[in-house]
Amino acid sequence: MPDNRFHTEEMNMRKTRLLTALAVAAALAVPATDALAQAAGKLKVGFMLPYTGTFAALGTAIENGFRLYVNEQGGKLGGREIEFVKVDDESEPSKGADNVNKLIKRDNVDVVVGTVHSGVAMAMAKVAKETGTLLVIPNAGAVAITGPMCAQNIFRTSFSNWQPGYAMGVVAAERGHKKVMTITWKYAAGDESVGGFKEGFEKGGGQVIKDLTLPFPNVEFQALLTEIAAAKPDAVYTFFAGGGAVKFVKDYAAAGLNKTIPLYGAGFLTDGTLEAQGDAAQGLLTTLHYGDGLTLAKDKAFRAAYSAAYKMQPDVYAVGGYDAAQLLGIGLTAVKGDMAKKADLYKAMAAAKIDSPRGAFTLGKNHDPVQDIYLRKVEGKENKVVGIAVKALADPGRGCTM
Ligand code: BEZ
């Protein structure tokens, strides 16, 4: 339920600020729109990201990427100075609604940016819909958010879990595999990534013979690896990310399976993880909307700026954060920083062409990126792009009625 008392106070404060701004603009003969943006004060961005647990590094990379873009704009978007507040969501869906309400009701943020974990993101999307708060999702791929839960005020700059999975299904079928096993965490992202893989693979004539799962964020893989070794499928498809992905790739190799049964994954399996995975990851093929070795000027500039600012290389999560800031910037520029012009803000964001380090992309009607999904191969410390698995792939947006 929206807090009406807060709403009225806020409206009165805004009205006063606007009237003052117009008076000042008239007196100084400055354009009224610039004066309005200045009078509106700082724009509050609420980061709701994982800063602890298996996805901690992913949350930090997203925040880094977002801040980098804002800093490149002199600390302002659409003429408004940006102020940040943050909440650690711990990748814990049961705390999702409370955590996002802290940002919206306690901290009065203008926009929420988050998160990584699909289960947490679904709780956030529900609250965003109920309160009408702008939500920009820089990672979590929950299909429902750009499906049945889609809304004018919810945007995603990353992917749907279906997209990399589907692309890898197409590739695995093209590589001649017939019978594949899947293994993942039992939650929305794992299920949907495997669902996408199945769709692409079966379309190409393949068959998924068994789905193996374990609860998130469990990393006791041994029993399941023994089952894979006994079943001897043609290949294995997997979705793991962050700390869990590091452990899975190492365990797969330690069990000797990397010598006999090819392992394919959504690219999170090896993104931001190669330093820790070392030799165990060499040669792995994955699909994702970002990778190493792209020859785009935008990517080169982004990498140089990111590594100068943070003394490390960016990964796919940093790109999601950077592009979330770009998307918000496009919307705010269109309304000259006036968040009250919601219809115009959302219209500009929905129509945005984002000059991303991954390559320029637009959003589908469901506000999910329409983008090339690359095929990548691990070589040393890099996810080298070796081709485009599927060009301009759009999430089907099933159930989205916007
Ligand atoms: C997800 O939960 O949607 C997700 C988490 C980590 C990487 C990719 C997707």
Side-chain angles (χ1 to χ4, degrees), residues 55 58 115-121 139-142 156 159 161 185 187-190 192 216 239-242 268 316-317:
F55 290 160
L58 289 55
T115 186
V116 170
H117 185 289
S118 275
V120 179
N139 183 75
R156 181 153 59 199
F159 54 85
N161 292 316
W185 280 313
Y187 85 110
E192 292 165 2
F216 175 87
F239 166 89
F240 288 112
F268 315 105
V316 71
Y317 308 105

Side-chain angles (χ1 to χ4, degrees), residues 251-370:
D251 286 4
Y252 198 86
L257 291 174
N258 60 339
K259 303 266 172 350
T260 52
I261 305 173
L263 177 64
Y264 298 114
F268 315 105
L269 188 68
T270 55
D271 227 83
T273 55
L274 289 175
E275 201 76 48
Q277 287 163 333
D279 286 349
Q282 294 312 301
L284 286 180
L285 288 176
T286 63
T287 40
L288 205 60
H289 52 283
Y290 189 56
D292 296 308
L294 294 172
T295 53
L296 305 162
K298 180 74 186 177
D299 189 42
K300 287 196 174 131
F302 168 71
R303 282 172 183 255
Y306 191 95
S307 57
Y310 304 112
K311 313 291 170 240
M312 63 168 113
Q313 284 300 313
D315 55 18
V316 71
Y317 308 105
V319 171
Y322 187 82
D323 291 341
Q326 290 210 71
L327 178 61
L328 181 62
I330 289 169
L332 285 170
T333 301
V335 295
K336 305 222 162 30
D338 184 357
M339 287 280 298
K341 292 186 176 154
K342 288 191 175 193
D344 291 342
L345 173 72
Y346 301 156
K347 195 168 154 206
M349 290 174 75
K353 183 170 184 191
I354 297 171
D355 186 15
S356 172
R358 78 190 82 171
F361 72 89
T362 54
L363 299 177
K365 263 172 59 187
N366 60 349
H367 296 178
D368 188 71
V370 178

Side-chain angles (χ1 to χ4, degrees), residues 19-59:
L19 289 172
T20 313
L22 289 172
V24 170
L28 301 177
V30 296
T33 45
D34 292 353
L36 284 179
Q38 280 161 22
K42 289 187 180 176
L43 185 116
K44 250 191 191 182
V45 172
F47 286 128
M48 181 159 151
L49 292 166
Y51 294 106
T52 52
T54 199
F55 290 160
L58 289 55

Side-chain angles (χ1 to χ4, degrees), residues 44-360:
K44 250 191 191 182
V45 172
F47 286 128
M48 181 159 151
L49 292 166
Y51 294 106
T52 52
T54 199
F55 290 160
L58 289 55
T60 301
I62 289 168
E63 181 178 335
N64 287 348
F66 195 101
R67 283 180 183 272
L68 178 65
Y69 182 74
V70 173
N71 289 341
E72 286 174 354
Q73 311 311 306
K76 290 183 180 178
L77 297 179
R80 301 272 303 268
E81 247 179 80
I82 304 295
E83 177 184 349
F84 296 103
V85 284
K86 54 196 216 180
V87 161
D88 177 8
D89 69 38
E90 305 166 45
S91 296
E92 181 47 68
S94 67
K95 297 183 185 169
D98 281 351
N99 278 331
V100 76
N101 272 320
K102 278 184 202 157
L103 290 173
I104 295 171
K105 300 207 169 130
R106 182 194 66 189
D107 300 332
N108 298 329
V109 300
D110 295 289
V111 48
V112 175
V113 175
T115 186
V116 170
H117 185 289
S118 275
V120 179
M122 283 193 280
M124 294 170 76
K126 187 164 177 290
V127 175
K129 262 186 114 155
E130 286 165 3
T131 58
T133 310
L134 174 58
L135 171 63
V136 184
I137 302 171
N139 183 75
V143 162
I145 293 176
T146 48
M149 297 177 80
C150 72
Q152 299 293 341
N153 59 318
I154 301 177
F155 295 84
R156 181 153 59 199
T157 56
S158 50
F159 54 85
S160 84
N161 292 316
W162 180 91
Q163 285 173 305
Y166 176 84
M168 189 41 104
V170 170
V171 170
E174 278 169 7
R175 290 173 70 84
H177 299 302
K178 295 288 177 223
K179 293 193 187 302
V180 165
M181 277 171 96
T182 70
I183 177 166
T184 187
W185 280 313
K186 185 78 200 146
Y187 85 110
D191 290 344
E192 292 165 2
S193 182
V194 163
F197 174 83
K198 229 176 245 183
E199 201 174 321
F201 191 49
E202 286 174 357
K203 208 165 135 189
Q207 188 196 355
V208 172
I209 55 170
K210 185 146 193 190
D211 296 320
L212 302 173
T213 60
L214 71 172
F216 175 87
N218 198 318
V219 290
E220 298 310 315
F221 301 118
Q222 218 44 59
L224 300 177
L225 292 175
T226 304
E227 202 173 331
I228 291 170
K232 297 191 177 60
D234 295 349
V236 169
Y237 173 76
T238 190
F239 166 89
F240 288 112
V246 171
K247 172 99 170 23
F248 181 75
V249 166
K250 286 180 136 183
D251 286 4
Y252 198 86
L257 291 174
N258 60 339
K259 303 266 172 350
T260 52
I261 305 173
L263 177 64
Y264 298 114
F268 315 105
L269 188 68
T270 55
D271 227 83
T273 55
L274 289 175
E275 201 76 48
Q277 287 163 333
D279 286 349
Q282 294 312 301
L284 286 180
L285 288 176
T286 63
T287 40
L288 205 60
H289 52 283
Y290 189 56
D292 296 308
L294 294 172
T295 53
L296 305 162
K298 180 74 186 177
D299 189 42
K300 287 196 174 131
F302 168 71
R303 282 172 183 255
Y306 191 95
S307 57
Y310 304 112
K311 313 291 170 240
M312 63 168 113
Q313 284 300 313
D315 55 18
V316 71
Y317 308 105
V319 171
Y322 187 82
D323 291 341
Q326 290 210 71
L327 178 61
L328 181 62
I330 289 169
L332 285 170
T333 301
V335 295
K336 305 222 162 30
D338 184 357
M339 287 280 298
K341 292 186 176 154
K342 288 191 175 193
D344 291 342
L345 173 72
Y346 301 156
K347 195 168 154 206
M349 290 174 75
K353 183 170 184 191
I354 297 171
D355 186 15
S356 172
R358 78 190 82 171

